[in-house]
């Protein structure tokens, strides 16, 4: 990967004061929010709603240091100890000097601690939090993606519908249905084409380079099977489909080609994906770049925009700012996965997005985001032991207690999520570092330690 781009000049403020939002609090709102988290996280089912408490009253002109000092006298003993420890541990040499962080109290709407919280840094895969929020809001958690097969003029055409979770087994079922129809019509030979015209021809996002293909991400197309990392996922899927036809006794004439299905073609078979909520869950647990980029395009289409990087990121911005009141100050997003080295998001903004997960009114829409956050020590997720996370003397006490999205690029590591503090209250946190020269594993250990500090187990 390329070296990190020059950093965007940072604004001088962090969210300051004991209140981040001037809205009148309804009786028991904080308690209800705490109950939502307490009930939801253990069973992997969560709630969310309401404009972010971070959306207003941000204390412009206040520095991170000033904010912490001003609040210190209002903190209880546990929070004061956490703040004191964070002030020291954020200076860990492994994290380098370009570090941004913030901790919020989900119940009281208080900003407990901030360190360069409004500084826009490269967030890596933490971008997927914004992508997920927009996708679930625009499309709905129950939305499903449809892959179709149509027949016309001697050709079966496989039509991509933006399902990045399509499998060989799914194509086998589509082929079986298609073969039954062909044989009923007395046909034993057919041509095969693929139609991926739902998305325009793939391009590179601002901040991408061709070295990403196909291992980090494939060129974004509307048709893919088994998540294959190949340059042309559509033709690859068509070839898998053709093999299934051969297995079922149909001769495939010629090579698989790309074509646009005709409106007069006859529908033959269709497959619908799992609901979007399940797909988001999988995408976040494993930090799947390809799913994220496909969701960005499908979100754009769902909002009536072109299925492009620009169309998708425009919708993300509108959803965050207009629907949820999230501040976009210093926010720069150019893709859906966070692979772009031009992406810049402050820790404060990531915390705003995550704070939505603590609000009950958004539960039915955004719940799968909290469900999908990797859990410290969870095998099979990006916070699992196979990635060396939460396994050192300082952070292993937090295994099973931190729910957070990871982010890793050359020159950028991030960790943003939620944990229940020593006082039993839920905290929202975000930490980002750029440009540290330490070993990436050492950087992650230091960042896991910050999360353990917020949890309070590393006191």
């Amino acid at each position: 990967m390329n070296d990190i781009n020059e950093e965007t000049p940072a604004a001088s403020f962090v969210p300051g004061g004991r209140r981040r939002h001037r809205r009148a609090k309804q009786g028991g709102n904080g308690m209800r929010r705490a109950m939502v988290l307490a009930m939801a996280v253990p069973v992997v089912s969560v709630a969310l709603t309401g404009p972010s408490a971070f959306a207003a009253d941000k204390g412009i002109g206040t520095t991170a240091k000033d904010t912490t000092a001003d609040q210190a006298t209002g903190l209880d003993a546990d929070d004061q100890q956490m703040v004191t420890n964070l002030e020291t541990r954020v200076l860990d040499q492994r994290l380098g000097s370009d570090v941004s962080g913030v901790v919020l109290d989900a119940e009281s709407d208080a900003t407990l601690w901030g360190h360069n919280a409004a500084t826009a840094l490269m967030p890596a895969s933490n971008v997927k939090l914004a992508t997920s929020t927009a996708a679930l809001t625009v499309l709905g958690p129950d939305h499903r993606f449809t892959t179709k097969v149509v027949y016309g003029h001697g050709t079966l055409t496989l039509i991509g519908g933006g399902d990045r979770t399509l499998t060989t087994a799914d194509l086998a079922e589509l082929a079986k249905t298609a073969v039954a129809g062909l044989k009923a019509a007395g046909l034993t030979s057919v041509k095969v084409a693929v139609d991926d015209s739902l998305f325009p021809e793939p391009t590179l996002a601002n901040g991408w380079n061709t070295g990403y293909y196909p291992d980090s991400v494939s060129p974004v197309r509307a048709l893919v099977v088994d998540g294959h990392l190949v340059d042309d996922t559509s033709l690859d899927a068509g070839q898998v489909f053709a093999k299934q036809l051969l297995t079922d006794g149909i001769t495939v004439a010629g090579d698989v080609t790309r074509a646009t299905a005709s409106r007069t073609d006859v529908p033959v078979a269709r497959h619908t994906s799992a609901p979007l909520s399940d797909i988001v869950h999988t995408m976040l647990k494993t930090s799947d770049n390809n799913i994220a980029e496909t969701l960005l395009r499908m979100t754009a289409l769902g909002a009536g925009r072109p299925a492009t990087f620009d169309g998708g990121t425009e919708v993300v911005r509108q959803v965050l700012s207009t629907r949820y009141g999230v501040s976009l100050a210093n926010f720069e997003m150019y893709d859906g996965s966070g692979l772009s080295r031009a992406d810049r998001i402050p820790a404060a903004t990531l915390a705003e997005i995550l704070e939505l997960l603590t609000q009950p009114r958004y539960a039915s829409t955004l719940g799968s985001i909290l469900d999908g956050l990797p859990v410290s020590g969870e095998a099979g997720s990006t916070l699992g032991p196979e990635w060396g996370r939460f396994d050192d003397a300082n952070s292993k006490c937090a295994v099973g207690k931190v729910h957070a999205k990871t982010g890793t690029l050359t020159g950028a590591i991030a960790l943003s999520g939620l944990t229940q503090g020593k006082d039993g209250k839920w905290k929202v946190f975000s930490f980002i570092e750029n440009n540290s020269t330490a070993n990436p594993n050492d950087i992650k250990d230091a960042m896991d330690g910050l999360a353990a500090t917020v949890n309070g187990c590393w006191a």
Side-chain angles (χ1 to χ4, degrees), residues 178-187:
V179 167
L182 291 172
K183 290 183 176 179
L187 299 173

Side-chain angles (χ1 to χ4, degrees), residues 343-420:
D343 289 341
R344 296 291 186 275
I345 302 180
T349 300
L350 291 169
E352 286 188 59
I353 296 171
L354 285 164
E355 190 184 37
L356 300 174
L357 308 184
T358 74
Q359 301 181 34
R361 57 182 164 169
Y362 298 133
S364 61
T365 302
L366 303 179
S368 58
I369 296 178
L370 185 52
D371 270 1
L373 290 178
V375 179
S376 49
E378 178 186 23
S381 79
T382 56
L383 280 182
E386 62 269 40
W387 296 99
R389 303 306 298 260
F390 289 88
D391 62 354
D392 71 0
N394 298 323
S395 64
K396 63 183 180 181
C397 63
V399 167
K401 301 175 182 178
V402 174
H403 304 252
K405 181 69 195 76
T406 57
T408 306
L409 284 175
T410 301
I413 292 178
L415 186 67
S416 301
L418 303 94
T419 188
Q420 202 167 11

Side-chain angles (χ1 to χ4, degrees), residues 165-347:
T165 63
L166 191 71
T167 66
T168 293
D170 298 331
L171 289 184
E173 287 299 316
L174 287 172
K176 184 181 298 184
T177 302
V179 167
L182 291 172
K183 290 183 176 179
L187 299 173
T188 59
S189 177
V190 71
K191 294 180 181 178
V192 172
V194 294
D195 181 348
D196 61 359
S197 59
L198 185 64
F199 297 170
E201 187 70 18
T203 61
L204 291 169
N206 180 14
W208 282 22
N209 63 70
T210 55
Y212 286 164
Y213 293 155
D215 294 334
S216 295
V217 67
S218 295
V220 187
R221 303 181 190 274
L223 182 61
V224 65
V225 63
D226 294 331
H228 287 168
L229 297 176
V230 295
D231 286 327
D232 196 326
T233 58
S234 299
L235 288 179
D236 174 69
Q239 290 159 3
V240 173
F241 179 64
K243 289 179 181 178
Q244 295 299 321
L245 294 173
L246 287 168
T247 299
D248 291 337
I250 296 295
T251 300
V252 175
D255 295 331
V256 175
T257 59
R258 180 176 275 105
T260 301
S262 170
R263 291 185 178 181
T264 61
D265 287 349
V266 178
V268 172
R270 60 189 292 146
H271 169 78
T272 55
S273 71
L276 176 60
S277 57
D278 289 355
I279 294 173
V280 165
H281 180 278
T282 297
M283 185 264 285
L284 292 174
K285 285 289 184 187
T286 61
S287 201
D288 191 300
N289 296 323
N290 290 289
I291 292 178
E293 296 303 341
T294 300
L295 290 185
L296 186 73
R297 280 155 181 72
M298 295 305 293
T299 301
L301 290 174
R305 301 293 195 278
T308 61
F309 289 111
D310 288 344
T313 54
E314 177 190 355
V315 174
V316 172
R317 290 183 179 91
Q318 289 180 342
V319 168
L320 292 178
S321 62
T322 303
R323 176 68 177 89
Y324 296 113
V326 172
S327 170
L328 297 186
N330 307 319
F331 182 98
E332 298 181 44
M333 177 179 172
Y334 297 98
D335 63 0
S337 62
L339 281 172
S340 173
R341 303 188 69 78
D343 289 341
R344 296 291 186 275
I345 302 180

